[in-house]
Amino acid sequence: MTEVSSLTGRLLVATPALADPNFDRAVVLVLDHDDEGSLGVVLNRPTPVGVGDILEGWAALAGEPGVVFQGGPVSLDSALGVGVIPGEEETPDGTAPRAGGRTGSRDPLGFRRVHGAIGLVDLETPPELLAAALGSLRIFAGYAGWGPGQLEDELADGAWYVVDSEPGDVSSPVPESLWRAVLRRQRSELAMVATYADDPSLN
């Protein structure tokens, strides 16, 4: 089994074989992965709801398209903010420091770094405290969650490709093409999967 923290900050890209309609062609950013389970948000499910319709103060900071995204099937009535703030400090092992509460951290109030430049935005924080620092912001309704060992089982069943994320994935202006774009940039046979037809029977 992989080290429990190893998937945090990485992308789960749905394989063509994944049958769950909630995750058809989904690209999931893993925000937390440990022995208690996993949590992430689907990056390529925009909704018709504008950010300003539910979180007026954050609308000006949300990138194009300025809509709420469906982050997954769990807790659809809750909002989650994911932002990018460049310039993280790195610890000697090459990873970003564990976010949350280290005195002297350079991260602004209301931002908890998850991996590299990517972090969670506390939507209770006044937006103006983060406006100058945020490189991008996306608002999600709901999230994707897995219990202990559940994601590992799905990986073993071939439901997901695991690839590295890039900060721009969070704020892709054309989220509908993100599945193909992420696969296409892989330097492996995964780049060929990007050519799969939307209807699997046509492959």
Side-chain angles (χ1 to χ4, degrees):
M1 181 168 151
T2 58
E3 180 190 342
V4 290
S5 62
S6 63
L7 294 183
T8 299
R10 302 192 79 194
L11 296 178
L12 303 175
V13 182
T15 69
L18 182 56
D20 185 340
N22 285 310
F23 296 110
D24 181 46
R25 300 284 170 113
V27 178
V28 179
L29 173 65
V30 180
L31 297 171
D32 196 20
H33 176 233
D34 57 28
D35 54 8
E36 295 178 9
S38 307
L39 182 150
V41 287
V42 180
L43 297 179
N44 56 338
R45 291 279 194 279
T47 75
V49 180
V51 172
D53 295 339
I54 60 164
L55 292 165
E56 188 176 351
W58 292 99
L61 299 178
E64 290 298 322
V67 298
V68 176
F69 281 64
Q70 184 175 331
V74 184
S75 296
L76 285 170
D77 56 350
S78 65
L80 192 69
V82 177
V84 173
I85 295 183
E88 80 281 359
E89 302 170 50
E90 290 201 344
T91 52
D93 66 356
T95 61
R98 284 301 291 180
R102 207 179 76 244
T103 308
S105 170
R106 297 179 189 171
D107 291 338
L109 188 69
F111 183 79
R112 183 173 71 83
R113 207 171 284 280
V114 171
H115 179 83
I118 300 166
L120 288 167
V121 174
D122 180 356
L123 298 174
E124 299 294 318
T125 304
E128 56 270 19
L129 294 182
L130 283 159
L134 271 179
S136 66
L137 172 70
R138 190 135 280 172
I139 305 295
F140 297 89
Y143 62 90
W146 293 265
Q150 190 178 358
L151 179 56
E152 286 76 8
D153 290 345
E154 291 184 14
L155 291 171
D157 289 342
W160 302 98
Y161 304 121
V162 179
V163 302
D164 289 336
S165 64
E166 295 180 0
D169 296 333
V170 174
S171 56
S172 171
V174 281
E176 297 85 354
S177 66
L178 191 61
W179 186 84
R180 290 186 192 280
V182 168
L183 289 172
R184 200 175 290 125
R185 74 183 185 222
Q186 305 307 313
R187 295 179 178 174
S188 66
E189 64 275 7
L190 288 188
M192 291 298 295
V193 180
T195 64
Y196 269 51
D198 290 335
D199 180 351
S201 67
L202 299 177
N203 286 312

